Amino acid sequence: MKRKMLVFILMLSFLLIVGGCSQEETDGVSMATENRYRESEIREYEGARLDPAIGPRDNSIKGVQLVDTEDYTLKVTGLVDEPIDLAYEDVLELDTYRRKITLYCVEGWDATILWEGSLLEDIFNTAGMDPKADTVIFHGVDGYTTSLPLETIVNNQLILAYRSNGLELPPEMGYPFIVVAEDKLGYKWARWVTEIQLSDESDYEGYWERRGYSNEADL
Ligand SMILES: Nc1nc2c(c(=O)[nH]1)N[C@H]1C(S)=C(S)[C@@H](COP(=O)(O)O)O[C@H]1N2
Ligand SMILES: [Mo]
């Protein structure tokens, strides 16, 4: 009797494990990944699979920030004709750009997401650029900073995104705004951006750059 029971339990466990594994993957997408997609999130673009906009982990310096756009402004400061405060809606009113771009973190993971946002250059132009500016420093609500050469932003038409995979940017990804720093490592992708500072400090070092990461941040 005892032995029969043991055999039964062993068979049952075996079936559960095998069954569990075959359920684990659909089209090479793990259940854990599958569960991270939000309802009605776009999962495919031009024949290629998109990753969920919400990542499996959070490595932000102070955790996920919750920004209320009712009392929020995006400041454009520094080497500009006139510093300005943009409301969330002001940024959304600029022309919309849509691009599928992959974010690569130094920790080894990556995420391919469909981004929609405004051209950073259009945002700078609302304040008017001082010709002396050659660097752009981004500030996040968590005190995070990082910078990019102005030339990189203009030549590559980099955007400040407010939508990912067809939905509003989630807090985890930087709501209201994330810098989509195409072809640059993840730490250049400032999230929860609250201030864009035009500067001539071309050797400025942001949070991770000061801690030894390359200022070029090339892939
Ligand atoms: N404001 C802010 N932006 C940030 C960070 C941060 O800590 N604070 N982390 C950066 C890093 S290192 C990466 S890889 C990307 C994605 O971060 P995640 O790994 O926490 O999703 O956001 C970047 N932007
Ligand atoms: Mo990162």
Side-chain angles (χ1 to χ4, degrees):
M1 184 59 197
K2 251 190 170 172
R3 167 169 286 181
K4 267 189 184 164
M5 196 65 177
L6 191 68
V7 169
F8 177 72
I9 289 171
L10 280 173
M11 275 173 68
L12 193 67
S13 327
F14 177 76
L15 283 172
L16 281 175
I17 290 167
V18 170
C21 286
S22 60
Q23 259 190 3
E24 197 65 43
E25 298 229 340
T26 33
D27 301 330
V29 181
S30 76
M31 237 16 214
T33 302
E34 193 67 29
N35 292 336
R36 280 192 285 111
Y37 283 108
R38 290 163 298 161
E39 207 185 316
S40 66
E41 181 166 354
I42 299 177
R43 292 154 168 252
E44 227 186 67
Y45 187 67
E46 291 171 347
R49 196 176 68 78
L50 297 169
D51 292 305
I54 297 178
R57 60 189 90 72
D58 171 55
N59 296 314
S60 322
I61 56 163
K62 288 184 184 159
V64 172
Q65 304 293 304
L66 296 175
V67 174
D68 178 2
T69 41
E70 290 286 304
D71 51 14
Y72 163 92
T73 53
L74 175 63
K75 296 187 183 337
V76 186
T77 63
L79 295 175
V80 290
D81 297 338
E82 182 95 54
I84 47 156
D85 280 2
L86 297 170
Y88 176 63
E89 291 75 22
D90 295 335
V91 178
L92 271 63
E93 271 168 20
L94 299 169
D95 291 343
T96 305
Y97 291 76
R98 177 186 242 228
R99 307 221 183 92
K100 188 193 81 176
I101 297 172
T102 307
L103 186 164
Y104 298 88
C105 173
V106 288
E107 295 203 310
W109 57 269
D110 59 73
T112 301
I113 292 168
L114 181 64
W115 306 96
E116 281 164 85
S118 306
L119 212 56
L120 279 161
E121 191 182 358
D122 285 350
I123 296 173
F124 307 155
N125 284 334
T126 61
M129 282 191 263
D130 181 324
K132 284 198 290 290
D134 61 7
T135 303
V136 182
I137 304 169
F138 299 96
H139 300 256
V141 294
D142 54 353
Y144 187 83
T145 65
T146 191
S147 64
L148 285 168
L150 178 61
E151 207 183 16
T152 302
I153 295 175
V154 172
N155 291 352
N156 299 292
Q157 299 221 299
L158 298 188
I159 64 169
L160 185 72
Y162 44 75
R163 288 174 78 77
S164 54
N165 294 345
L167 300 175
E168 186 173 82
L169 195 69
E172 290 86 344
M173 255 303 148
Y175 178 86
F177 302 122
I178 182 172
V179 175
V180 179
E182 183 172 18
D183 296 334
K184 296 289 176 186
L185 287 164
Y187 59 89
K188 291 290 181 184
W189 295 53
R191 286 176 288 165
W192 311 293
V193 179
T194 181
E195 183 183 341
I196 297 176
Q197 180 191 351
L198 278 86
S199 159
D200 59 1
E201 208 185 321
S202 55
D203 55 0
Y204 175 87
E205 291 183 334
Y207 184 90
W208 286 118
E209 292 87 335
R210 242 171 280 155
R211 287 162 176 77
Y213 287 94
S214 133
N215 211 0
E216 279 66 48
D218 287 323
L219 301 182

